Amino acid sequence: MSLLSLPLAVLLLGGPAAAPAAAAENGEWAVYPAASQLGSRPYFYLSADPGGTVGDQVTVANKTAAPLSFLLYGADAYNTERDGGFAVRTRQEKQTGAGAWIKPARDRVTVPPHSAVTVPYTLTVPADAEPGDHPGAVVALDERIAKGSGGSVALGVQRAVGARVYLRVGGPTVPALGVEDVTLRQDRPLVPGAGTSTAVVSYTLHNRGNVTLSPRVALKAQGLFGRTLLARDLDRLPAELLPRQKIRLTERWTGSPQLDWGELTLTATAKGVRESAGVSFLALPWLPLAVLVAGGTAGVLGLRIRRRRTPST
């Protein structure tokens, strides 16, 4: 996922959350927790109480035939707006969570060709830190600046690879999930039966708690007299919805009704939480309805005109 900051574009690489765990790499270098066997520990899973400090080690492996130099830093994680994927803040952005608490023993490292360097780091949790999950990453940013393209403007491009950090701060954990701002946009043929109607359901999924959730969402639509028009589980969801994050999602409903009145409901569930929200809809064949209304209006006007022209006796 490309993260742009004025003249600098940073590419953060790492497998999607739904994929099997593996060391983050881009083919030239990899970043992963120090372990006795490569890939046996792809992510950092840490826990600490407020005011506590934990230590660990990160390994940066150079897979190329030339030495590579990197900047090492901690970064906060967030869900991307596009698909809810796991992403981290750039070095230029302000870090307020795990990214601010991670301190590598060295902030610069040069890795020889086909070699790896392991660097210790500490993570110090402030005494006033909120309990719950604080995801982040230890990032190795390539110091080289390559030429990129941003439309008609040339951009400097830097690439980074980050090893995820899943930190839990001790204290009460409160899972909370919200379904917000549900909307329905309908697209129907002008003449009923002349084509297939579709509808686009849009909604916001909001993690209002302090722990990471793996949400599931069910979509149900009911028409007149409680008839079930649609019932299915949605699959285009983030594997992880991070604390205090919200994402906007859409779902297409092919074959939506062309003449009906009902209710559409989204039900989101995760471990320990369940939340629903919905929106009412009215499906009418607008062209026949407009013709009917126009015809009725013309009939009423014609009747009034005839009454005015008829002499009273």
Side-chain angles (χ1 to χ4, degrees):
M1 185 69 185
S2 293
L3 307 174
L4 302 179
S5 96
L6 296 179
L8 183 66
V10 179
L11 178 64
L12 172 72
L13 294 180
E25 64 168 286
N26 64 359
E28 295 184 25
W29 71 93
V31 184
Y32 49 89
S36 58
Q37 183 177 356
L38 177 63
S40 62
R41 189 182 170 218
Y43 306 143
F44 292 102
Y45 292 95
L46 307 175
S47 60
D49 292 327
T53 298
V54 293
D56 213 315
Q57 299 181 89
V58 63
T59 298
V60 183
N62 179 1
K63 299 187 173 186
T64 72
L68 294 177
S69 295
F70 303 96
L71 293 172
L72 294 180
Y73 67 94
D76 295 337
Y78 66 96
N79 289 107
T80 62
E81 294 182 4
R82 182 176 63 87
D83 57 6
F86 188 103
V88 301
R89 306 293 177 192
T90 66
R91 188 166 178 263
Q92 290 75 21
E93 294 179 279
K94 183 179 180 180
Q95 316 293 341
T96 59
W101 309 337
I102 294 171
K103 301 299 180 185
R106 293 187 274 164
D107 59 5
R108 280 181 168 81
V109 60
T110 297
V111 184
H114 303 296
S115 300
V117 173
T118 296
V119 178
Y121 73 88
T122 57
L123 190 156
T124 302
V125 180
D128 59 352
E130 294 184 3
D133 294 339
H134 295 266
V138 181
V139 181
L141 173 67
D142 189 354
E143 289 196 286
R144 298 171 298 176
I145 298 179
K147 292 182 180 180
S149 176
S152 59
V153 179
L155 295 176
V157 178
Q158 282 186 293
R159 294 180 297 164
V161 173
R164 300 183 191 189
V165 174
Y166 291 97
L167 168 68
R168 174 157 292 186
V169 175
T173 56
V174 182
L177 182 63
V179 182
E180 304 167 351
D181 192 22
V182 181
T183 62
L184 180 68
R185 180 174 57 83
Q186 303 180 70
D187 184 12
R188 298 184 299 275
L190 292 176
V191 179
T196 301
S197 59
T198 61
V200 175
V201 183
S202 300
Y203 63 100
T204 297
L205 206 55
H206 186 186
N207 185 343
R208 299 184 299 206
N210 64 356
V211 292
T212 299
L213 300 175
S214 298
R216 295 183 178 182
V217 179
L219 173 62
K220 186 175 183 178
Q222 292 181 302
L224 283 170
F225 312 114
R227 295 177 299 111
T228 298
L229 306 174
L230 176 69
R232 69 169 179 243
D233 294 330
L234 307 187
D235 54 8
R236 292 189 296 175
L237 299 170
E240 301 171 304
L241 186 58
L242 306 180
R244 298 167 291 279
Q245 294 291 300
K246 60 171 64 176
I247 56 173
R248 189 71 176 166
L249 299 169
T250 61
E251 184 73 18
R252 181 172 294 275
W253 177 11
T254 302
S256 57
Q258 300 183 17
L259 177 61
D260 214 327
W261 177 32
E263 182 81 12
L264 184 143
T265 304
L266 287 157
T267 301
T269 57
K271 187 177 181 180
V273 292
R274 179 186 179 91
E275 187 73 22
S276 295
V279 62
S280 299
F281 66 88
L282 177 63
L284 289 175
W286 294 114
L287 181 59
L289 182 62
V291 171
L292 181 62
V293 171
T297 302
V300 171
L301 291 176
L303 181 60
R304 288 182 177 178
I305 292 173
R306 285 196 300 270
R307 285 179 177 177
R308 290 178 182 176
R309 290 179 179 179
T310 302
S312 59
T313 57

